[in-house]
Amino acid sequence: GTQSFRDLTADVEAGARLARHASIRVVGARIKAITAAVGMAGPGDVVLVTQNAQEKRQEIDGCIVPFDDRDYLRASTEDFQLE
């Protein structure tokens, strides 16, 4: 079945708190969450964005819109210079 946003974030937070020195910030909107995670990342950090491969759309305020996390992740990292 489908898990509610509240339940999903509670599960993720519970698992993340098991890690020592974990910094946890819950951001509801996926676009804002991706942008925030990339902006907070520093040298040696890993940003993991997960999405079901078959999901190329998202429901936002009752409307189904095309959405692919990879597009927003690419846009958020365009200004980074890899060494």
Side-chain angles (χ1 to χ4, degrees):
T2 301
Q3 189 175 22
S4 73
F5 175 77
R6 180 174 286 145
D7 291 342
L8 178 62
T9 54
D11 287 348
V12 171
E13 283 184 81
R17 289 190 193 289
L18 296 175
R20 292 187 179 151
H21 310 292
S23 175
I24 301 168
R25 179 176 173 198
V26 177
V27 179
R30 290 186 73 84
I31 295 169
K32 290 180 182 179
I34 291 168
T35 303
V38 170
M40 292 169 50
D45 288 344
V46 173
V47 174
L48 174 65
V49 179
T50 62
Q51 170 182 340
N52 289 335
Q54 73 275 13
E55 292 182 10
K56 299 291 187 270
R57 58 196 179 111
Q58 182 176 13
E59 183 176 341
I60 301 174
D61 295 329
C63 297
I64 303 295
V65 295
F67 189 91
D68 191 326
D69 287 340
R70 295 171 295 187
D71 295 334
Y72 295 96
L73 187 57
R74 272 188 216 100
S76 294
T77 59
E78 284 179 349
D79 294 334
F80 281 97
Q81 303 232 347
L82 299 177
E83 296 180 9

